[in-house]
Amino acid sequence: MTMNVSNKSAYDVLIVGGGPAGATAAILLAMAGWRVAVAEKKAFPRRKVCGEFVSATSWPLLHQLRVAEPLLAHCGPEIRCVGFYAGETMLSAKMPSPRTHLQAWGRALGREHLDLALLARAAEVGADVMQPWTVCHIDRIADGYVCSGVVAKRQGSSTVPTASQLRARIVIAAHGSWEPGSIATQNLSYPMLASDLFAFKAHFHGGHLPSGLMPLMLFPGGYGGMVQSGGERVTLSCCIRRDALEQCRHPGGDLGERPRAAEAAFEHIQGSCRGVREALTGATLNGAWLSTGPIRPGIRRFAHEGIFIIGNAAAEAHPIVAEGISMAIQSAWLLCGHLIARKSAVLASRPNETVAAIARDYERGWRKQFAMRIRAAACLAQLGMRPATAKVIGSLLQRTPTMLTLGARWSGKTRSLRLT
């Protein structure tokens, strides 16, 4: 997408980040008559580390945003079964479905399609999309915020960074959680921990993953999943602990030539999961491996210094439950419902009390909708990464495969968004 900037420099709201959370917020607010700017530092379309699964509960929302129909053409098959791959164990069970009238089953699609479609829709309904535009500073002023950034402009055959500035009455941070930055809502520096998680993703063509199956895979030191995400390709995504990754790269303490991290992690997964070996036998890697990290799932904060926070910047579940995209979209929907309902008060000359009240209501609704999912994901991830407990989980599932269906329900696959 090319940069689309009007001559306006004063907005009702600036949204920092144009991924699923930020673009959803932009669409909803622009459709409600707000003057919206979106600052996205990456050029789209883009590839991104992500499991690529969109739960059935989010498809009705995508229909309301009027992006679902074009996106369905890029999706993989309906995911009707959930699976479990660990060691030699290979199990599957029915995926629970909320049976909505618009979309009964979850489906997966590449982020290069999803992110582009959502941000294009935001521009279509009136948001000013500034891309690539990196926010460097956000300063509080009497009637809102002054946001300073760097925009990449073409001059002849080269791209030149140019300083830019705009004003907004309120700011929504939707910049994700994986990359540090200079604004107050972005990541702080953390010490390195053996338990840090690194995430990897790749696409494969020619695999043998059964159609409509999304298996969870457990392996020593990590977890992941596979899904068909359109174009007859299989997406494999995984998270692995720092200490386990180092062991993969230095097996037996060998300090010789280190294999690349992604290849070392993939070899470790294949050696640990029969299901992965069978699904990808004869498959070819489509494009390069993507990686990011360290990631630290958990609940963070929902507002900071008057700035609202949505998506992974606010909180994220361990990717083991495959709910990241859906939670990002739904968190934006939760916040925007409160903002739209109290638009006149939010945009008044002194909106501080209203903003604080909305932040409290938003956090309360978010916790009611997602907090249990975050805790369940953390518990499952910690148990699944340990070989002894993963073996116990496998034994229990072999005796009662329907527990897979129950686990998918606990992860939020059937819990539609409630705004009240």
Side-chain angles (χ1 to χ4, degrees), residues 190-265:
Y190 294 100
M192 291 194 305
L193 301 173
S195 58
D196 286 340
L197 289 175
F198 290 86
F200 299 93
K201 167 185 154 181
H203 291 135
F204 294 86
H205 274 154
H208 308 287
L209 183 69
S211 181
L213 172 68
M214 184 170 68
L216 164 67
M217 51 196 198
L218 301 181
F219 51 89
Y223 58 80
M226 291 189 293
V227 68
Q228 291 171 308
S229 57
E232 297 184 353
R233 70 184 186 186
V234 173
T235 298
L236 183 149
S237 55
C238 66
C239 290
I240 183 170
R241 286 172 53 110
R242 183 191 299 273
D243 51 3
L245 182 59
E246 283 300 305
Q247 181 61 33
C248 293
R249 301 181 74 183
H250 289 309
D254 180 10
L255 297 180
E257 184 177 352
R258 288 159 54 98
R260 293 180 60 187
E263 283 78 3

